[in-house]
Amino acid sequence: MSSLSSRGLRATIRYFLPAVLLASPAIAHAEWIRAESTNFIAYSESSPDDLRARVAKLEKFGQVLQAMTGARRPKDVPVKITVYFLRTIEDVGNTLPYPSYGVAGYYSTTMRGPFTVMPRQNRKDPGNRRFTGPTFQALQVLQHELTHHFTFQYFTAAYPSWYTEGFADYAGAIEISDDNVVNVGMFMQSRAATLRQLAWVPLHKLMNPIPGQRDFPGIAIYSQGWITVHYLNSSPQGRAMLADYLKRINEGQSFGKALEAFGDIDKLDREVRAYSRRSTLDAVATKYVNLDPGPIDVKALSPLENELVDIQMTLSAGIAASKAQGFARRVRTIVKADPDNPYSRRMLIEAERVAGNNAEATTAIDSWLAAAPSDPWANFFKGDMEIAALAAAKSTDKAAWLAARTRIRAAMKAMPNEPRFAPAFYQSYSRSDMLPPAVAQ
C-alpha cells in the first residue's frame, strides 16, 4: 500500500488476502443501482435499502474520523469518492488489468477522480469453507481505504508508512451501531495472526527504515503498525507521546529525530511486543449524539447506464494494452443504443483514446461539438487532443495553442470541480514550453 510520502497523480492502495490467485474472466453483472450522498457516489447490484445503508455507514464513518483527528472536510466536497460494491472478492480481482493475487479491495486516485472497488461479502479462508480462522471483513477493508483517502486529503504532513497503515487499520476496524454507538480499537484477528507468525521487527527499524535497505517483510508495516497505534492510543501517556511525535513531523523533523517523542524506543519496543501477545484488546465505546449521514439519493439506472457502469469502472481501474482494441469495440456496440447520449459520447471517446484510435475519437468529438458546441466535455476532449497533437509536432503556432487552451478554459469554467480539466489547462502551457501563469497553477 502507498504511503503519504509516495503519493503522486495516481496512488493505488490494495488490501490483500493471503495467496489467492483470482481469475480474469469478465464479471457477470445484474442490474446496478446508484446512490449519491455528500461525499460519495456508490454503485451496487444489491437492493436500494442495502446500498442506502452502506452509504450511510460511510458518511457516519467520515464524521467519526473528523472527530478522532480534528481534521475538517469542507462542507461542499468538490470531488466525491466513487465506490463500486461488487459481490465477491473474485469479482474485485477481475476488475484489474492484470492477474491479481489475493486483492481483496483497492482504492486509487487517477485523473478520473478517486475511486474504490470493494466486495459486499465478508469471507473466511479463500479456499477452505471449513476454515475457522480470522474472517475477512469487507467493511474493515473499505474503511481502511477511506481512512487513507481522508488522510491524503486532510492531514498536513507526510507521515511514515508504519503510522499511515497502522492508523488506517486502527480506524478501519471501527464499528458503528445503528444507534450510533462507535467502538474504536476493535481487535483485528487477521493482524493478530500475522503478528504470531512473523518475526518481530524492532521498532527503531520499523519506524525509521533506511530507504532502499528494508530487510523485513512489508506486511510487518501493517501488523506492527496496527498494534503500535493501538497500544499508544490505549493510555493517556501513549496518546500524548503519539501527539508529540506527529507534531514534530508536522514541524519538519525527520522521522528518526521525531522518534525522540517516545523517549526510550527500546522500552517502547518491549511494551508493544508484550501488548501484541494479548488475545484480547480493550475497545472504547462512545455514544455519538449527532451522526447524520445527510441526504442519500438512490436511483435505478437506465439499461444504457447499467451497461456503462462496467465501462466506467474499467476506465478507472485500467486496461491492458493487449485488450484496448477489444474494449473500444465493446463500447462502440454498447453506445449504439443511444449514440447521442452525453454519457455514451464520453465513454466512447475515452475508450477510443485509450485504444489509441485518435481518428475515431476525433470523429466522435466533432460530432458532439456539432450537436452541442458549448458542451464542456466535448470542448475538453477537443482541446486536449489538439494540445497532444501540437506537442507531438513541436508546433510554435501560438494561435493554435491559444485556441486549444481556450476550449479547456471554457470547460473549467463550466465544471470547476472536474479533476481532469485543471491539469490539462496547466499542460496547455507547459507542453508549449511556456511558464503556466498563476491562473493555471
Side-chain angles (χ1 to χ4, degrees):
M1 295 190 186
S2 304
S3 69
L4 290 178
S5 58
S6 67
R7 182 167 62 100
L9 288 176
R10 180 186 177 98
T12 303
I13 299 167
R14 300 184 181 89
Y15 201 104
F16 292 88
L17 280 178
V20 185
L21 173 59
L22 298 176
S24 58
I27 308 166
H29 285 300
E31 292 188 1
W32 291 98
I33 52 175
R34 180 185 188 275
E36 183 167 3
S37 64
T38 302
N39 295 284
F40 300 96
I41 295 172
Y43 296 90
S44 178
E45 301 155 299
S46 59
S47 69
D49 287 345
D50 177 81
L51 181 56
R52 187 187 303 277
R54 290 177 186 275
V55 173
K57 281 185 177 292
L58 299 185
E59 287 289 353
K60 290 181 178 182
F61 176 70
Q63 294 171 30
V64 172
L65 280 182
Q66 291 184 76
M68 286 176 62
T69 63
R72 288 291 177 267
R73 292 186 297 199
K75 183 177 180 181
D76 296 317
V77 178
V79 180
K80 299 183 181 185
I81 307 171
T82 300
V83 183
Y84 298 97
F85 288 108
L86 306 188
R87 189 174 66 87
T88 68
I89 294 166
E90 287 80 5
D91 289 342
V92 170
N94 290 339
T95 66
L96 292 167
Y98 45 78
S100 52
Y101 295 82
V103 175
Y106 61 96
Y107 161 88
S108 185
T109 57
T110 71
M111 286 298 188
R112 304 186 86 254
F115 75 102
T116 182
V117 181
M118 290 291 152
R120 296 193 304 274
Q121 294 180 353
N122 293 337
R123 183 173 180 177
K124 289 190 177 181
D125 178 77
N128 182 358
R129 293 186 178 182
R130 297 179 181 178
F131 180 70
T132 58
T135 299
F136 157 76
Q137 298 288 341
L139 182 59
Q140 281 186 1
V141 175
L142 179 52
Q143 289 181 169
H144 176 111
E145 307 299 8
L146 294 180
T147 300
H148 277 302
H149 177 84
F150 185 89
T151 57
F152 288 167
Q153 295 292 316
Y154 307 116
F155 277 20
T156 56
Y159 297 116
S161 56
W162 78 266
Y163 179 72
T164 60
E165 299 301 344
F167 179 72
D169 267 349
Y170 182 75
I174 286 173
E175 294 182 356
I176 304 173
S177 69
D178 292 339
D179 58 349
N180 293 337
V181 173
V182 177
N183 293 289
V184 179
M186 301 300 291
F187 190 79
M188 295 188 70
Q189 290 280 359
S190 58
R191 294 301 185 220
T194 301
L195 288 168
R196 290 191 296 270
Q197 294 166 1
L198 294 183
W200 183 262
V201 179
L203 290 188
H204 71 83
K205 182 183 291 188
L206 182 86
M207 300 167 89
N208 187 33
I210 300 173
Q213 298 184 31
R214 193 183 77 193
D215 59 355
F216 55 85
I219 192 64
I221 294 170
Y222 307 102
S223 56
Q224 287 188 221
W226 163 70
I227 198 65
T228 303
V229 170
H230 200 294
Y231 173 76
L232 291 169
N233 278 287
S234 68
S235 69
Q237 180 185 9
R239 288 191 292 272
M241 288 194 298
L242 180 57
D244 184 26
Y245 170 76
L246 298 176
K247 178 174 177 289
R248 288 167 182 253
I249 292 176
N250 270 286
E251 292 172 347
Q253 290 189 17
S254 68
F255 294 161
K257 181 69 174 175
L259 288 181
E260 293 178 3
F262 299 118
D264 185 344
I265 193 67
D266 292 329
K267 178 175 180 291
L268 177 65
D269 182 89
R270 291 191 297 271
E271 293 171 350
V272 176
R273 191 171 186 180
Y275 193 73
S276 73
R277 298 189 184 103
R278 296 174 57 172
S279 59
T280 61
L281 298 175
D282 293 334
V284 176
T286 304
K287 172 72 174 181
Y288 278 66
V289 178
N290 296 312
L291 276 184
D292 181 6
I296 301 173
D297 178 43
V298 181
K299 69 171 188 177
L301 300 181
S302 69
L304 174 66
E305 291 171 330
N306 187 67
E307 288 208 64
L308 288 177
V309 170
D310 277 348
I311 302 304
Q312 175 180 291
M313 183 165 46
T314 301
L315 285 166
S316 292
I319 304 157
S322 61
K323 298 181 179 180
Q325 290 297 336
F327 176 75
R329 289 193 295 272
R330 179 186 170 201
V331 177
R332 286 182 216 134
T333 299
I334 292 172
V335 302
K336 283 180 181 178
D338 189 359
D340 297 332
N341 183 298
Y343 190 26
S344 291
R345 292 183 188 272
R346 182 155 63 91
M347 294 296 100
L348 175 62
I349 292 166
E350 289 194 57
E352 298 289 14
R353 295 189 70 185
V354 163
N357 301 331
N358 290 338
E360 289 83 351
T362 298
T363 297
I365 294 166
D366 291 343
S367 172
W368 197 352
L369 285 169
S374 61
D375 186 275
W377 276 107
N379 278 283
F380 161 72
F381 285 130
K382 185 68 173 179
D384 196 45
M385 289 201 68
E386 288 175 342
I387 286 168
L390 290 167
K394 298 182 179 180
S395 173
T396 58
D397 187 339
K398 293 183 178 179
W401 280 100
L402 177 61
R405 186 178 300 127
T406 300
R407 288 187 181 278
I408 296 175
R409 180 62 171 159
M412 283 179 61
K413 289 181 178 179
M415 297 176 63
N417 294 330
E418 168 50 47
R420 277 176 276 187
F421 294 175
F425 186 57
Y426 178 93
Q427 290 172 5
S428 72
Y429 289 97
S430 64
R431 296 183 74 179
S432 63
D433 295 326
M434 292 179 63
L435 178 68
V439 69
Q441 297 184 26

